[in-house]
Amino acid sequence: MGARDLLRDFFLSHLGQVLDSDQLREASGGISEWARRVRELRNEEGFQILTHNDRSDLKPGQYVLLTARPEPAFERGISKETRSLVLDRNGFTCQMCGAGAGEPHPVDPTRKTRLHIGHIIDKSMGGTDDPSNLRAVCSVCNEGASNITPDRPSVIKLKAQIRKARSDDQLELLKFLLEKFPDHAATILAKSSSPRT
Ligand SMILES: [Zn+2]
């Protein structure tokens, strides 16, 4: 087991406890670079390990891991501006499964859809943090829990599905599309209400 693994285990088994440098050095197997490994856990793996820079009650050399769940890797280092730009461009909709932000998730309706920012080409494959390489992805897809294929359904399949749906669901869909495309809706309605020759 490497020093980073030892430290990760140590933090995870001491959640919420303030740990000092002596304890961490010992837990790392006594290596001199233990602090660098801690930074890697924080910056590369996303563990929210707090120091005196994050919390005023911590002294220099004290560390605390608050939760076992790391922040999603893609979320780190992306500015608020970029985040809102991407969410807006993607219509606050998961680009993998189509779930809308705040709505019950199609795969697990007990969960409200939470959107994250993901990379289209993964960073490990050379993808950048440029907005053109970013997209909205919900937490369910991010966790790989969604079995919905990323392929977009064809309009033929969609229409077939919609025809089979109940009227109130169809009306719900109409409302969704009218809100999504207000200008197009106005144009279409204007055309259809103009007198026919
Ligand atoms: Zn999704």
Side-chain angles (χ1 to χ4, degrees):
M1 237 186 171
R4 202 206 276 196
D5 301 316
L6 290 167
L7 283 165
R8 190 190 306 105
D9 283 358
F10 190 69
F11 271 114
L12 287 172
S13 56
H14 294 85
L15 279 183
Q17 293 177 36
V18 176
L19 305 169
D20 63 34
S21 27
D22 288 341
Q23 286 173 293
L24 292 171
R25 187 186 299 110
E26 199 187 318
S28 75
I31 64 160
S32 56
E33 296 224 304
W34 64 271
R36 176 181 286 194
R37 300 287 100 83
V38 171
R39 275 199 301 279
E40 288 169 359
L41 287 174
R42 182 172 153 141
N43 300 334
E44 292 173 24
E45 299 189 21
F47 285 102
Q48 297 173 60
I49 299 169
L50 307 183
T51 68
H52 67 285
N53 292 321
D54 309 295
R55 232 170 66 179
S56 56
D57 62 312
L58 295 173
K59 296 188 188 76
Q62 290 188 328
Y63 298 78
V64 59
L65 173 62
L66 290 183
T67 72
R69 219 178 137 184
E71 282 184 289
F74 46 61
E75 211 76 45
R76 284 170 258 138
I78 292 168
S79 71
K80 272 188 193 140
E81 291 73 22
T82 302
R83 192 183 146 78
S84 56
L85 177 96
V86 172
L87 289 176
D88 197 54
R89 189 184 62 202
N90 289 160
F92 294 88
T93 303
C94 172
Q95 298 303 292
M96 289 180 78
C97 72
E103 291 172 9
H105 195 275
V107 169
D108 180 358
T110 61
R111 287 173 68 170
K112 263 196 182 170
T113 301
R114 254 194 80 201
L115 293 178
H116 302 279
I117 303 297
H119 291 90
I120 296 167
I121 298 170
D122 197 73
K123 282 189 106 168
S124 63
M125 305 294 286
T128 68
D129 284 345
D130 190 81
S132 63
N133 189 41
L134 300 172
R135 62 177 177 177
V137 179
C138 76
S139 27
V140 175
C141 289
N142 175 44
E143 290 160 18
S146 172
N147 287 322
I148 297 174
T149 64
D151 301 337
R152 288 166 192 255
S154 71
V155 71
I156 297 168
K157 271 192 191 167
L158 275 177
K159 276 186 177 169
Q161 288 279 81
I162 296 163
R163 286 196 193 97
K164 284 194 291 183
R166 294 199 321 252
S167 297
D168 48 350
D169 285 342
Q170 291 180 346
L171 284 169
E172 185 75 25
L173 187 71
L174 176 66
K175 207 175 130 225
F176 162 74
L177 289 173
L178 287 174
E179 283 167 6
K180 186 174 164 106
F181 300 110
D183 297 343
H184 292 78
T187 312
I188 293 164
L189 287 173
K191 266 187 200 159
S192 64
S193 64
S194 62
R196 289 176 197 201
T197 51

